[in-house]
Amino acid sequence: MNTNDLLNKILSYHQVLVDSRFVEQVIGRIERLHRMRQWILSFCTLAGVFFGFAGLSYLINYTSLTFLADLPGTTTLLSTLAISSVVLFLFWVFNDEFERP
Amino acid sequence: MNPDSELIARALTESDTDAFGELVKRYQSTIRQFLRRLTAGDHALADDIAQDTFITAFQKLGQLKGTGSFKSWLHTLAYRRFLRVIQTGANKYETPCDVSWQQLSTFDAVEADLLAEKLMSHLDLNERTALTLNCSEGLSHQEIAQITGIPLGTIKSYIARAKSKLNTLLSSQELQAS
């Protein structure tokens, strides 16, 4: 056996490393990271919705108060539309299947 | 057995961790062995980097281009991750380990791998990477150049230099033993 063959023989991988714990650890870490990402996204979304509503109520109180006070039915309708739009938007943001058919 | 592309597609579109788990199961051995060689036998560090490699792979699956194989891409991620880790750490892999002639004739797979890892400590990082990818993984010079980002000519010279160093080392061990 020449030295090149000997080197190739020595340097080849002799063991097949199959360890189910390794796979479980990797998947466990991926799922933890995924959950953390979801928490951060949810928190940011809720914070956005909260501040959005705060701003909206501020505007309603100071600019449209008289108009909306005369039409209480309109307020309910607008609120329903706004909430439905937010819910639909969040559903679209969190649902990856919309992006890839 | 499902082809890689099918498992990758499932992991990508459905965030299917079972499909990705199958890919981890399939490639854990080659990536862990590769990193054990790069770290010259630091198994704990090699496994840590291997885990990080697979997690990065899952996060960046969308960036995987159809031009290369999944295995080559994993090696690229592992190599980059290893470089980042050693940039922040000490240069403890620069201390060559003793190799005994008795170890060269071992038939035990564990011992044989330990010997190969010890031999790696006699090479510098670029030589280790190029030689492992060439001799242990059986990759072509072109593929190694793509994985490492090192020019083709330089890869060839790293491999030649690494082989020359190890041949000298093996010859000296043989002489001592005789």
Side-chain angles (χ1 to χ4, degrees), chain A residues 5-22:
Chain A
D5 291 340
L6 178 66
L7 258 187
N8 283 337
K9 189 181 163 229
I10 292 171
L11 295 179
S12 62
Y13 297 150
H14 300 91
Q15 303 171 82
V16 178
L17 304 173
V18 179
D19 182 1
S20 58
R21 231 183 53 195
F22 178 85

Side-chain angles (χ1 to χ4, degrees), chain A residues 8-60:
Chain A
N8 283 337
K9 189 181 163 229
I10 292 171
L11 295 179
S12 62
Y13 297 150
H14 300 91
Q15 303 171 82
V16 178
L17 304 173
V18 179
D19 182 1
S20 58
R21 231 183 53 195
F22 178 85
V23 181
E24 283 163 17
Q25 282 172 347
V26 170
I27 298 302
R29 282 181 63 186
I30 287 173
E31 284 174 348
R32 272 199 301 279
L33 284 171
H34 188 68
R35 270 199 301 274
M36 197 170 82
R37 187 171 163 265
Q38 291 289 338
W39 273 108
I40 292 169
L41 272 174
S42 305
F43 176 77
C44 291
T45 307
L46 281 175
V49 168
F50 173 77
F51 285 110
F53 272 111
L56 202 66
S57 64
Y58 176 83
L59 280 175
I60 287 169

Side-chain angles (χ1 to χ4, degrees), chain B:
Chain B
M1 193 164 73
N2 289 327
D4 288 354
S5 56
E6 191 185 314
L7 294 171
I8 291 166
R10 271 170 52 198
L12 249 179
T13 54
E14 300 160 29
S15 291
D16 185 346
T17 46
D18 288 340
F20 191 73
E22 186 59 39
L23 287 168
V24 177
K25 208 181 290 176
R26 207 172 276 180
Y27 291 106
Q28 62 161 311
S29 184
T30 182
I31 294 299
R32 289 168 71 196
Q33 286 277 30
F34 172 55
L35 288 164
R36 283 181 178 194
R37 296 291 165 88
L38 292 194
T39 57
D42 189 336
H43 293 185
L45 179 67
D47 280 2
D48 282 350
I49 301 174
Q51 282 197 11
D52 290 343
T53 301
F54 283 110
I55 289 166
T56 309
F58 185 77
Q59 290 168 336
K60 294 187 173 177
L61 264 183
Q63 295 174 18
L64 177 60
K65 292 167 191 148
T67 49
S69 70
F70 182 64
K71 186 180 165 186
S72 291
W73 185 64
L74 277 179
H75 278 93
T76 308
L77 294 178
Y79 174 65
R80 286 182 189 163
R81 185 83 204 168
F82 169 74
L83 287 183
R84 208 173 308 150
V85 168
I86 59 154
Q87 273 167 4
T88 55
N91 53 352
K92 60 179 178 176
Y93 307 114
E94 303 311 316
T95 315
C97 302
D98 289 334
V99 180
S100 71
W101 176 246
Q102 281 74 21
Q103 285 179 293
L104 293 174
S105 52
T106 184
F107 291 104
D108 180 60
V110 178
E111 284 285 319
D113 276 330
L114 287 174
L115 167 68
E117 288 156 13
K118 277 184 182 176
L119 284 173
M120 289 294 124
S121 67
H122 292 263
L123 307 175
D124 74 31
L125 287 179
N126 289 322
E127 292 165 354
R128 238 178 259 181
T129 309
L131 192 67
T132 302
L133 289 172
N134 186 235
C135 290
S136 313
E137 292 285 348
L139 299 182
S140 68
H141 294 169
Q142 186 65 47
E143 285 172 308
I144 299 169
Q146 278 175 357
I147 286 172
T148 56
I150 299 171
L152 187 62
T154 317
I155 290 290
K156 285 177 185 171
S157 75
Y158 280 145
I159 292 171
R161 208 186 311 157
K163 280 185 176 175
S164 163
K165 275 186 188 177
L166 292 186
N167 279 331
T168 310
L169 181 73
L170 295 178
S171 305
S172 67
Q173 290 289 337
E174 202 171 356
L175 279 174
Q176 280 173 20
S178 59

